[in-house]
Coordinates of all heavy atoms in Angstrom, one line a residue:
M110 N 0.8 -1.2 0.0 CA 0.0 0.0 0.0 C 0.9 1.2 0.0 O 1.0 2.0 1.0 CB -0.9 0.0 1.2 CG -1.9 -1.2 1.2 SD -3.2 -1.3 2.4 CE -2.4 -1.1 3.9
P111 N 1.5 1.5 -1.1 CA 2.5 2.6 -1.2 C 1.8 4.0 -1.0 O 2.5 5.0 -0.8 CB 3.1 2.5 -2.6 CG 2.2 1.6 -3.3 CD 1.5 0.7 -2.4
W112 N 0.5 4.0 -1.1 CA -0.3 5.3 -1.0 C -0.4 5.7 0.5 O -0.8 6.9 0.7 CB -1.6 5.2 -1.7 CG -2.4 3.9 -1.3 CD1 -2.3 2.7 -1.9 CD2 -3.3 3.7 -0.2 NE1 -3.1 1.8 -1.3 CE2 -3.7 2.4 -0.2 CE3 -3.7 4.6 0.8 CZ2 -4.6 1.9 0.7 CZ3 -4.6 4.0 1.8 CH2 -5.0 2.7 1.7
I113 N 0.0 4.9 1.4 CA 0.0 5.3 2.8 C 1.1 6.3 3.1 O 2.3 5.9 2.8 CB 0.0 4.1 3.7 CG1 -1.3 3.3 3.6 CG2 0.2 4.5 5.2 CD1 -1.5 2.1 4.4
R114 N 0.8 7.4 3.7 CA 1.8 8.4 3.9 C 2.7 8.2 5.1 O 3.9 8.5 5.1 CB 1.2 9.8 3.9 CG 0.7 10.3 2.6 CD 0.1 11.7 2.7 NE -1.1 11.6 3.6 CZ -2.2 12.3 3.4 NH1 -2.2 13.2 2.4 NH2 -3.2 12.2 4.2
N115 N 2.0 7.8 6.2 CA 2.7 7.6 7.5 C 2.3 6.4 8.2 O 1.1 6.0 8.1 CB 2.4 8.8 8.4 CG 3.0 10.1 7.9 OD1 4.2 10.2 7.9 ND2 2.2 11.1 7.6
I116 N 3.2 5.8 8.9 CA 2.9 4.6 9.7 C 3.3 4.9 11.1 O 4.5 5.2 11.4 CB 3.8 3.4 9.2 CG1 3.4 3.1 7.7 CG2 3.5 2.1 10.1 CD1 4.3 2.1 7.0
Y117 N 2.3 4.9 12.0 CA 2.5 5.1 13.4 C 2.5 3.8 14.1 O 1.5 3.1 14.0 CB 1.5 6.1 13.9 CG 1.5 7.4 13.3 CD1 0.7 7.7 12.2 CD2 2.4 8.4 13.8 CE1 0.8 9.0 11.6 CE2 2.4 9.7 13.2 CZ 1.6 9.9 12.1 OH 1.7 11.2 11.5
I118 N 3.5 3.5 14.9 CA 3.5 2.2 15.6 C 3.5 2.6 17.1 O 4.5 3.3 17.6 CB 4.8 1.4 15.3 CG1 4.8 1.1 13.8 CG2 4.9 0.1 16.1 CD1 6.1 0.5 13.3
V119 N 2.5 2.2 17.8 CA 2.4 2.5 19.2 C 3.1 1.4 20.0 O 2.8 0.3 19.9 CB 0.9 2.6 19.7 CG1 0.8 2.9 21.2 CG2 0.2 3.7 18.9
M120 N 4.0 1.9 20.9 CA 4.9 1.0 21.7 C 4.7 1.4 23.1 O 4.3 2.5 23.5 CB 6.3 1.1 21.2 CG 6.6 0.9 19.8 SD 6.7 -0.7 19.2 CE 8.0 -1.4 20.2
S121 N 5.2 0.4 24.0 CA 5.3 0.7 25.4 C 6.5 0.1 25.9 O 7.2 -0.7 25.3 CB 4.0 0.2 26.1 OG 3.9 -1.2 26.0
I122 N 6.9 0.4 27.1 CA 8.0 -0.1 27.9 C 9.3 0.4 27.5 O 9.8 1.3 28.1 CB 8.0 -1.7 27.9 CG1 6.6 -2.2 28.3 CG2 9.1 -2.2 28.7 CD1 6.5 -3.2 29.2
S123 N 10.0 -0.1 26.4 CA 11.3 0.4 26.1 C 11.6 0.2 24.6 O 11.0 -0.6 23.9 CB 12.3 -0.4 26.9 OG 12.5 -1.7 26.5
E124 N 12.7 0.8 24.2 CA 13.2 0.7 22.8 C 13.6 -0.8 22.5 O 13.7 -1.1 21.3 CB 14.4 1.6 22.6 CG 13.9 3.1 22.6 CD 15.0 4.0 22.3 OE1 16.1 3.6 21.8 OE2 14.8 5.2 22.4
S125 N 13.8 -1.6 23.5 CA 14.2 -3.0 23.2 C 13.1 -3.7 22.5 O 13.3 -4.8 21.9 CB 14.6 -3.7 24.5 OG 13.5 -3.8 25.3
Q126 N 11.9 -3.2 22.5 CA 10.8 -3.9 21.8 C 10.7 -3.5 20.3 O 10.0 -4.2 19.6 CB 9.4 -3.4 22.4 CG 9.2 -4.0 23.8 CD 7.8 -3.7 24.3 OE1 7.4 -2.6 24.2 NE2 7.1 -4.7 24.8
I127 N 11.4 -2.5 19.9 CA 11.5 -2.2 18.5 C 12.2 -3.2 17.7 O 13.4 -3.5 18.0 CB 12.1 -0.8 18.2 CG1 11.3 0.3 19.0 CG2 12.1 -0.5 16.8 CD1 11.9 1.7 19.0
P128 N 11.6 -3.9 16.7 CA 12.3 -5.0 16.0 C 13.6 -4.4 15.3 O 13.5 -3.3 14.8 CB 11.3 -5.4 15.0 CG 10.0 -4.9 15.4 CD 10.2 -3.7 16.3
K129 N 14.6 -5.2 15.3 CA 15.9 -4.7 14.7 C 15.7 -4.6 13.2 O 16.4 -3.7 12.6 CB 17.0 -5.7 15.0 CG 17.3 -5.8 16.5 CD 18.7 -6.3 16.8 CE 18.9 -6.4 18.2 NZ 18.7 -5.3 19.1
W130 N 14.8 -5.3 12.6 CA 14.6 -5.2 11.1 C 13.8 -3.9 10.7 O 13.8 -3.6 9.5 CB 13.9 -6.4 10.6 CG 12.6 -6.8 11.3 CD1 12.5 -7.7 12.3 CD2 11.3 -6.2 11.1 NE1 11.2 -7.8 12.7 CE2 10.4 -6.9 12.0 CE3 10.8 -5.2 10.3 CZ2 9.1 -6.6 12.1 CZ3 9.5 -4.9 10.4 CH2 8.6 -5.6 11.3
L131 N 13.2 -3.3 11.7 CA 12.3 -2.1 11.4 C 13.3 -0.9 11.0 O 14.1 -0.5 11.8 CB 11.4 -1.7 12.5 CG 10.5 -0.6 12.3 CD1 9.5 -0.8 11.2 CD2 9.8 -0.2 13.6
N132 N 13.1 -0.3 9.9 CA 13.8 0.8 9.4 C 13.3 2.1 10.1 O 12.4 2.7 9.5 CB 13.9 0.9 7.9 CG 14.7 2.1 7.4 OD1 15.3 2.8 8.2 ND2 14.7 2.3 6.1
T133 N 13.7 2.4 11.2 CA 13.2 3.6 11.9 C 13.8 4.9 11.3 O 13.3 6.0 11.7 CB 13.5 3.6 13.4 OG1 14.9 3.4 13.6 CG2 12.8 2.4 14.1
E134 N 14.7 4.8 10.4 CA 15.2 5.9 9.7 C 14.3 6.4 8.5 O 14.4 7.5 8.0 CB 16.6 5.6 9.1 CG 17.6 5.2 10.1 CD 17.9 6.4 11.1 OE1 18.0 7.5 10.7 OE2 17.9 6.1 12.3
N135 N 13.3 5.5 8.2 CA 12.4 5.9 7.1 C 11.5 7.0 7.6 O 10.9 6.8 8.7 CB 11.5 4.6 6.8 CG 10.6 4.8 5.6 OD1 10.0 5.9 5.5 ND2 10.5 3.9 4.7
E136 N 11.4 8.1 6.9 CA 10.6 9.2 7.4 C 9.1 9.0 7.5 O 8.4 9.8 8.1 CB 10.9 10.4 6.4 CG 10.4 10.2 5.0 CD 10.8 11.3 4.1 OE1 11.8 12.0 4.3 OE2 10.1 11.6 3.1
R137 N 8.6 7.9 6.9 CA 7.2 7.5 7.0 C 6.9 6.7 8.2 O 5.7 6.5 8.6 CB 6.8 6.8 5.8 CG 6.8 7.7 4.5 CD 6.5 7.0 3.3 NE 5.7 5.8 3.4 CZ 5.3 5.1 2.4 NH1 5.5 5.5 1.2 NH2 4.6 4.0 2.6
V138 N 7.9 6.2 8.9 CA 7.7 5.3 10.1 C 7.9 6.1 11.3 O 8.9 6.8 11.5 CB 8.7 4.1 10.1 CG1 8.6 3.3 11.3 CG2 8.5 3.2 8.9
H139 N 6.9 6.1 12.2 CA 7.0 6.9 13.5 C 6.7 6.0 14.6 O 5.6 5.4 14.7 CB 5.9 8.0 13.4 CG 6.0 8.9 12.2 ND1 6.9 9.9 12.1 CD2 5.3 8.8 11.0 CE1 6.7 10.5 10.9 NE2 5.8 9.8 10.2
I140 N 7.5 6.0 15.6 CA 7.3 5.3 16.8 C 6.6 6.2 17.8 O 7.0 7.3 18.0 CB 8.6 4.8 17.5 CG1 9.4 3.8 16.5 CG2 8.3 4.1 18.8 CD1 8.7 2.6 16.2
V141 N 5.5 5.8 18.3 CA 4.7 6.6 19.3 C 4.7 5.8 20.6 O 4.2 4.6 20.6 CB 3.2 6.8 18.8 CG1 2.4 7.5 19.8 CG2 3.3 7.5 17.5
W142 N 5.1 6.4 21.6 CA 5.1 5.7 23.0 C 3.8 5.9 23.6 O 3.2 7.0 23.6 CB 6.3 6.3 23.8 CG 7.6 6.0 23.2 CD1 8.4 6.8 22.5 CD2 8.2 4.7 23.2 NE1 9.5 6.1 22.0 CE2 9.4 4.8 22.4 CE3 7.9 3.4 23.7 CZ2 10.3 3.8 22.2 CZ3 8.8 2.4 23.4 CH2 9.9 2.5 22.7
D143 N 3.3 4.9 24.2 CA 1.9 5.0 24.8 C 1.8 6.1 25.9 O 0.8 6.7 26.0 CB 1.5 3.6 25.4 CG 2.4 3.1 26.5 OD1 3.4 3.7 26.9 OD2 2.0 2.0 27.1
W144 N 2.9 6.4 26.6 CA 2.9 7.4 27.6 C 2.7 8.8 26.9 O 2.4 9.8 27.6 CB 4.1 7.4 28.5 CG 5.4 7.6 27.9 CD1 6.0 8.7 27.4 CD2 6.3 6.5 27.6 NE1 7.2 8.5 26.9 CE2 7.5 7.1 26.9 CE3 6.4 5.2 27.8 CZ2 8.6 6.4 26.5 CZ3 7.5 4.5 27.3 CH2 8.5 5.1 26.7
G145 N 2.9 8.9 25.6 CA 2.7 10.2 24.9 C 1.3 10.4 24.5 O 0.9 11.5 24.2
I146 N 0.4 9.4 24.6 CA -1.0 9.5 24.2 C -2.0 9.1 25.3 O -3.1 9.6 25.3 CB -1.3 8.8 22.9 CG1 -1.0 7.3 23.0 CG2 -0.5 9.4 21.7 CD1 -1.5 6.4 21.8
V147 N -1.6 8.2 26.2 CA -2.5 7.7 27.2 C -2.2 8.5 28.5 O -1.0 8.7 28.9 CB -2.3 6.2 27.5 CG1 -3.1 5.7 28.6 CG2 -2.5 5.4 26.2
P148 N -3.2 9.0 29.2 CA -3.0 9.7 30.4 C -2.2 8.9 31.4 O -2.4 7.7 31.5 CB -4.4 10.0 31.0 CG -5.3 10.0 29.7 CD -4.7 9.0 28.8
R149 N -1.3 9.5 32.2 CA -0.4 8.8 33.1 C -1.1 8.0 34.1 O -0.7 6.9 34.5 CB 0.5 9.8 33.8 CG 1.5 10.4 32.8 CD 2.8 10.6 33.5 NE 3.7 11.2 32.5 CZ 4.6 10.6 31.8 NH1 4.8 9.3 32.0 NH2 5.4 11.2 31.0
E150 N -2.3 8.4 34.6 CA -3.0 7.6 35.6 C -3.5 6.3 35.1 O -3.9 5.4 35.9 CB -4.2 8.4 36.2 CG -5.3 8.8 35.2 CD -5.2 10.2 34.6 OE1 -4.1 10.7 34.6 OE2 -6.3 10.7 34.2
Y151 N -3.5 6.0 33.8 CA -3.9 4.7 33.3 C -2.7 3.9 32.9 O -2.9 2.8 32.4 CB -4.8 4.9 32.0 CG -6.0 5.7 32.4 CD1 -6.3 6.8 31.6 CD2 -6.9 5.3 33.4 CE1 -7.5 7.6 31.9 CE2 -8.0 6.1 33.7 CZ -8.3 7.2 32.9 OH -9.4 7.9 33.2
L152 N -1.5 4.4 33.1 CA -0.3 3.6 32.8 C 0.3 2.9 34.0 O 0.1 3.3 35.1 CB 0.8 4.6 32.2 CG 0.4 5.3 30.9 CD1 1.4 6.3 30.6 CD2 0.3 4.3 29.8
P153 N 0.9 1.7 33.8 CA 1.1 1.1 32.5 C -0.2 0.4 32.1 O -1.0 0.0 32.9 CB 2.1 0.0 32.8 CG 2.0 -0.3 34.2 CD 1.5 1.0 34.9
V154 N -0.4 0.3 30.8 CA -1.6 -0.4 30.3 C -1.2 -1.3 29.2 O -0.3 -1.1 28.4 CB -2.6 0.7 29.7 CG1 -2.1 1.5 28.6 CG2 -3.9 0.0 29.3
F155 N -1.8 -2.5 29.3 CA -1.5 -3.6 28.3 C -2.7 -4.0 27.6 O -2.7 -5.0 26.9 CB -0.7 -4.7 29.0 CG 0.5 -4.2 29.6 CD1 0.6 -4.0 31.0 CD2 1.7 -3.9 28.8 CE1 1.8 -3.6 31.6 CE2 2.8 -3.5 29.4 CZ 2.9 -3.3 30.8
N156 N -3.8 -3.3 27.8 CA -5.1 -3.7 27.2 C -5.2 -2.8 25.9 O -5.3 -1.6 26.0 CB -6.2 -3.3 28.2 CG -7.6 -3.7 27.7 OD1 -7.9 -3.5 26.5 ND2 -8.4 -4.1 28.6
S157 N -5.3 -3.5 24.8 CA -5.3 -2.8 23.5 C -6.6 -2.0 23.4 O -6.6 -0.9 22.7 CB -5.1 -3.8 22.4 OG -6.2 -4.7 22.3
N158 N -7.7 -2.4 24.1 CA -8.9 -1.6 24.0 C -8.7 -0.2 24.6 O -9.2 0.8 24.1 CB -10.0 -2.3 24.7 CG -10.4 -3.5 24.0 OD1 -10.5 -3.6 22.7 ND2 -10.7 -4.6 24.7
V159 N -8.0 -0.1 25.6 CA -7.7 1.2 26.3 C -6.8 2.0 25.3 O -7.0 3.2 25.1 CB -7.0 1.0 27.6 CG1 -6.6 2.4 28.2 CG2 -8.0 0.3 28.6
I160 N -5.7 1.4 24.8 CA -4.8 2.1 23.9 C -5.6 2.6 22.7 O -5.4 3.8 22.2 CB -3.6 1.2 23.5 CG1 -2.8 1.0 24.8 CG2 -2.8 1.9 22.4 CD1 -1.7 -0.1 24.6
D161 N -6.5 1.8 22.2 CA -7.3 2.2 21.0 C -8.0 3.5 21.2 O -8.2 4.3 20.3 CB -8.3 1.1 20.7 CG -7.7 -0.2 20.2 OD1 -6.5 -0.2 19.9 OD2 -8.4 -1.2 20.0
L162 N -8.5 3.7 22.4 CA -9.3 5.0 22.7 C -8.4 6.2 22.5 O -9.0 7.3 22.3 CB -9.8 4.9 24.2 CG -10.9 3.9 24.5 CD1 -11.1 3.9 26.0 CD2 -12.1 4.3 23.8
Y163 N -7.1 6.1 22.7 CA -6.3 7.2 22.6 C -5.5 7.4 21.3 O -4.7 8.3 21.1 CB -5.3 7.2 23.8 CG -6.1 7.4 25.1 CD1 -6.4 6.3 25.9 CD2 -6.5 8.6 25.5 CE1 -7.1 6.4 27.0 CE2 -7.3 8.8 26.6 CZ -7.5 7.7 27.4 OH -8.3 7.8 28.6
I164 N -5.8 6.5 20.3 CA -5.1 6.6 19.0 C -5.3 8.0 18.4 O -4.4 8.6 17.8 CB -5.6 5.5 18.1 CG1 -5.2 4.1 18.6 CG2 -5.2 5.7 16.6 CD1 -3.7 3.8 18.6
P165 N -6.5 8.6 18.5 CA -6.7 9.9 17.9 C -5.8 11.0 18.5 O -5.7 12.1 17.9 CB -8.2 10.2 18.1 CG -8.8 8.9 18.2 CD -7.8 8.0 18.9
R166 N -5.2 10.8 19.6 CA -4.3 11.7 20.2 C -2.9 11.8 19.5 O -2.0 12.6 19.9 CB -4.1 11.4 21.7 CG -5.3 11.8 22.5 CD -4.9 11.6 23.9 NE -5.7 12.3 24.8 CZ -5.5 12.5 26.1 NH1 -4.5 11.9 26.7 NH2 -6.3 13.2 26.8
I167 N -2.6 10.9 18.6 CA -1.3 10.8 17.9 C -1.2 12.1 17.1 O -2.0 12.4 16.2 CB -1.2 9.5 17.0 CG1 -1.2 8.3 17.9 CG2 0.1 9.6 16.2 CD1 -1.2 7.0 17.1
E168 N -0.1 12.8 17.4 CA 0.2 14.0 16.7 C 0.5 13.7 15.3 O 1.3 12.9 14.9 CB 1.4 14.7 17.4 CG 1.6 16.1 16.8 CD 2.7 16.9 17.6 OE1 2.8 16.7 18.8 OE2 3.4 17.6 17.0
G169 N -0.2 14.4 14.3 CA 0.1 14.3 12.9 C -0.8 13.2 12.3 O -0.8 13.1 11.0
L170 N -1.6 12.5 13.0 CA -2.5 11.5 12.5 C -3.6 12.2 11.6 O -4.1 13.2 12.0 CB -3.2 10.8 13.6 CG -4.1 9.6 13.2 CD1 -3.2 8.5 12.7 CD2 -4.9 9.1 14.4
S171 N -3.8 11.7 10.4 CA -4.8 12.2 9.5 C -6.2 12.1 10.0 O -6.5 11.2 10.9 CB -4.7 11.5 8.1 OG -3.4 11.7 7.6
E172 N -7.1 12.8 9.5 CA -8.5 12.7 9.8 C -9.0 11.3 9.5 O -9.8 10.7 10.2 CB -9.4 13.8 9.1 CG -10.8 13.7 9.4 CD -11.7 14.7 8.7 OE1 -11.1 15.7 8.2 OE2 -12.9 14.6 8.6
R173 N -8.6 10.8 8.3 CA -8.9 9.5 7.9 C -7.6 8.6 8.0 O -6.6 9.0 7.5 CB -9.4 9.4 6.4 CG -10.7 10.1 6.3 CD -11.3 9.9 4.9 NE -10.8 10.9 4.0 CZ -11.1 10.9 2.7 NH1 -11.9 10.0 2.2 NH2 -10.7 11.8 1.9
Y174 N -7.8 7.5 8.7 CA -6.6 6.6 8.9 C -7.0 5.2 8.9 O -8.2 4.9 9.2 CB -5.8 7.0 10.1 CG -6.6 6.9 11.4 CD1 -6.6 5.8 12.2 CD2 -7.3 8.0 11.9 CE1 -7.3 5.7 13.4 CE2 -8.0 8.0 13.1 CZ -8.0 6.8 13.8 OH -8.7 6.7 15.0
L175 N -6.1 4.3 8.7 CA -6.3 2.9 8.8 C -5.7 2.4 10.1 O -4.6 2.9 10.5 CB -5.7 2.1 7.7 CG -6.2 2.4 6.3 CD1 -5.4 1.6 5.3 CD2 -7.7 2.2 6.2
Y176 N -6.4 1.5 10.8 CA -5.9 1.0 12.1 C -5.8 -0.5 12.0 O -6.7 -1.2 11.5 CB -6.8 1.4 13.2 CG -6.5 0.7 14.5 CD1 -5.5 1.1 15.3 CD2 -7.2 -0.5 14.8 CE1 -5.2 0.5 16.5 CE2 -7.0 -1.1 16.0 CZ -6.0 -0.6 16.8 OH -5.7 -1.3 18.0
A177 N -4.7 -1.1 12.4 CA -4.5 -2.5 12.4 C -3.7 -2.9 13.7 O -2.7 -2.2 14.0 CB -3.8 -3.0 11.2
C178 N -4.1 -4.0 14.3 CA -3.3 -4.5 15.4 C -2.2 -5.3 14.9 O -2.0 -5.5 13.7 CB -4.2 -5.5 16.3 SG -5.5 -4.6 17.2
D179 N -1.3 -5.7 15.8 CA -0.1 -6.4 15.4 C -0.3 -7.8 14.8 O 0.6 -8.4 14.4 CB 0.9 -6.4 16.5 CG 0.4 -7.2 17.8 OD1 -0.8 -7.6 17.8 OD2 1.2 -7.3 18.7
D180 N -1.5 -8.3 14.8 CA -1.8 -9.6 14.3 C -2.4 -9.5 12.9 O -3.0 -10.5 12.4 CB -2.6 -10.4 15.3 CG -3.8 -9.8 15.7 OD1 -4.1 -8.6 15.4 OD2 -4.6 -10.5 16.4
Y181 N -2.4 -8.4 12.3 CA -2.9 -8.2 10.9 C -1.8 -8.3 9.9 O -0.7 -7.8 10.2 CB -3.6 -6.8 10.8 CG -5.0 -6.7 11.4 CD1 -5.1 -7.0 12.8 CD2 -6.0 -6.2 10.7 CE1 -6.4 -6.9 13.4 CE2 -7.3 -6.0 11.4 CZ -7.4 -6.4 12.7 OH -8.6 -6.3 13.3
I182 N -2.1 -8.8 8.7 CA -1.2 -8.8 7.6 C -1.9 -8.6 6.3 O -3.0 -9.1 6.1 CB -0.3 -10.1 7.6 CG1 0.8 -10.0 6.5 CG2 -1.2 -11.3 7.3 CD1 1.8 -11.1 6.6
V183 N -1.4 -7.7 5.5 CA -2.0 -7.4 4.2 C -1.5 -8.5 3.2 O -0.3 -8.6 3.0 CB -1.6 -6.0 3.7 CG1 -2.2 -5.7 2.3 CG2 -2.1 -5.0 4.7
M184 N -2.4 -9.2 2.5 CA -2.1 -10.3 1.7 C -2.3 -10.0 0.2 O -2.0 -10.8 -0.7 CB -2.9 -11.5 2.0 CG -2.6 -12.0 3.5 SD -1.0 -12.6 3.7 CE -1.0 -14.1 2.8
K185 N -2.9 -8.8 -0.2 CA -3.1 -8.5 -1.6 C -3.0 -7.0 -1.7 O -3.0 -6.2 -0.7 CB -4.4 -9.0 -2.0 CG -5.6 -8.4 -1.4 CD -6.9 -8.9 -2.0 CE -8.1 -8.1 -1.6 NZ -9.2 -8.3 -2.4
D186 N -2.9 -6.5 -3.0 CA -2.9 -5.1 -3.3 C -4.2 -4.5 -2.9 O -5.3 -5.0 -3.1 CB -2.6 -4.9 -4.7 CG -1.2 -5.2 -5.2 OD1 -0.3 -5.3 -4.3 OD2 -1.0 -5.4 -6.4
L187 N -4.1 -3.4 -2.2 CA -5.3 -2.6 -1.8 C -5.2 -1.2 -2.2 O -4.1 -0.6 -2.3 CB -5.5 -2.7 -0.3 CG -5.7 -4.1 0.3 CD1 -5.6 -4.0 1.8 CD2 -7.0 -4.6 -0.1
K188 N -6.3 -0.6 -2.5 CA -6.4 0.8 -2.9 C -7.1 1.6 -1.9 O -7.9 1.1 -1.1 CB -7.1 0.9 -4.3 CG -6.5 0.1 -5.4 CD -7.2 0.2 -6.7 CE -8.6 -0.3 -6.7 NZ -9.0 -1.7 -6.4
P189 N -6.9 2.9 -1.9 CA -7.7 3.8 -0.9 C -9.2 3.6 -1.0 O -9.8 3.5 0.0 CB -7.3 5.2 -1.3 CG -6.0 5.1 -2.0 CD -6.0 3.7 -2.7
D190 N -9.7 3.4 -2.2 CA -11.2 3.2 -2.3 C -11.7 1.9 -1.8 O -12.9 1.6 -1.8 CB -11.7 3.6 -3.7 CG -11.1 2.7 -4.8 OD1 -10.2 1.9 -4.5 OD2 -11.6 2.9 -5.9
D191 N -10.8 1.0 -1.4 CA -11.2 -0.2 -0.7 C -11.6 0.1 0.7 O -12.3 -0.7 1.3 CB -10.0 -1.3 -0.7 CG -9.7 -1.8 -2.1 OD1 -10.6 -2.0 -2.9 OD2 -8.5 -2.1 -2.3
F192 N -11.2 1.3 1.2 CA -11.5 1.7 2.6 C -12.3 2.9 2.7 O -13.1 3.1 3.6 CB -10.2 1.9 3.3 CG -9.3 0.7 3.4 CD1 -8.2 0.6 2.5 CD2 -9.5 -0.2 4.4 CE1 -7.4 -0.5 2.5 CE2 -8.6 -1.3 4.4 CZ -7.6 -1.5 3.5
F193 N -12.2 3.8 1.7 CA -12.8 5.1 1.8 C -13.6 5.4 0.5 O -13.1 5.0 -0.6 CB -11.8 6.3 2.0 CG -10.9 6.0 3.1 CD1 -9.5 5.7 2.9 CD2 -11.3 6.2 4.4 CE1 -8.7 5.5 3.9 CE2 -10.4 6.0 5.5 CZ -9.1 5.6 5.2
Y194 N -14.7 6.0 0.6 CA -15.4 6.4 -0.7 C -15.3 7.9 -0.8 O -15.1 8.7 0.2 CB -16.9 5.9 -0.7 CG -17.8 6.5 0.4 CD1 -18.5 7.6 0.1 CD2 -17.9 5.8 1.6 CE1 -19.4 8.1 1.1 CE2 -18.7 6.4 2.6 CZ -19.5 7.5 2.3 OH -20.3 8.0 3.3
E195 N -15.4 8.4 -2.0 CA -15.1 9.7 -2.4 C -15.9 10.8 -1.7 O -15.5 11.8 -1.3 CB -15.1 9.9 -3.9 CG -14.4 11.2 -4.3 CD -14.0 11.2 -5.8 OE1 -13.6 10.1 -6.2 OE2 -14.2 12.2 -6.4
G196 N -17.2 10.4 -1.4 CA -18.1 11.4 -0.8 C -17.9 11.5 0.7 O -18.6 12.3 1.4
W197 N -17.0 10.7 1.3 CA -16.8 10.7 2.7 C -16.0 11.9 3.2 O -15.0 12.3 2.6 CB -16.1 9.4 3.2 CG -16.0 9.3 4.6 CD1 -17.0 8.8 5.4 CD2 -15.0 9.6 5.5 NE1 -16.6 8.8 6.7 CE2 -15.3 9.3 6.8 CE3 -13.7 10.2 5.3 CZ2 -14.5 9.6 7.9 CZ3 -12.9 10.5 6.4 CH2 -13.3 10.1 7.7
G198 N -16.5 12.5 4.3 CA -15.7 13.6 4.9 C -15.7 14.8 4.1 O -15.0 15.7 4.1

């Protein structure tokens, strides 16, 4: 899906969780720490439902975005209109 402009990966705990194969030098890849979007009184949190509530707090996130958990994989070519229709928003 080369049409995706930015990829935000929400992480917690430490940089040791960032896979060594991930090219963090790529300007489209952004690591977002959970403590940057989730209020401190709810940390630490390991419940993805709670983290999901705070995804819209990611700085730079578009009005329209795709969300996928870490157990999703794209198996075929997809186009923006597979997700969004032109009259939306």
Side-chain angles (χ1 to χ4, degrees):
M110 297 187 308
W112 47 270
I113 292 182
R114 290 182 293 216
N115 292 294
I116 298 169
Y117 297 95
I118 302 171
V119 178
M120 308 277 303
S121 61
I122 310 225
S123 74
E124 291 184 12
S125 66
Q126 289 187 313
I127 299 173
K129 296 202 183 308
W130 51 262
L131 181 64
N132 180 4
T133 57
E134 299 298 315
N135 186 318
E136 62 185 27
R137 293 174 26 173
V138 175
H139 308 276
I140 302 296
V141 176
W142 297 102
D143 62 355
W144 61 78
I146 60 171
V147 177
R149 292 220 182 258
E150 62 263 25
Y151 302 126
L152 295 172
V154 62
F155 302 102
N156 181 324
S157 63
N158 293 317
V159 174
I160 295 170
D161 292 352
L162 291 172
Y163 294 99
I164 294 294
R166 287 184 157 192
I167 294 174
E168 189 174 324
L170 188 67
S171 299
E172 181 180 342
R173 292 191 273 180
Y174 60 90
L175 300 178
Y176 170 81
C178 290
D179 60 355
D180 55 353
Y181 285 51
I182 187 166
V183 177
M184 299 293 291
K185 67 177 192 166
D186 290 339
L187 296 169
K188 303 177 298 299
D190 59 353
D191 291 327
F192 299 97
F193 309 106
Y194 63 94
E195 198 158 321
W197 186 84

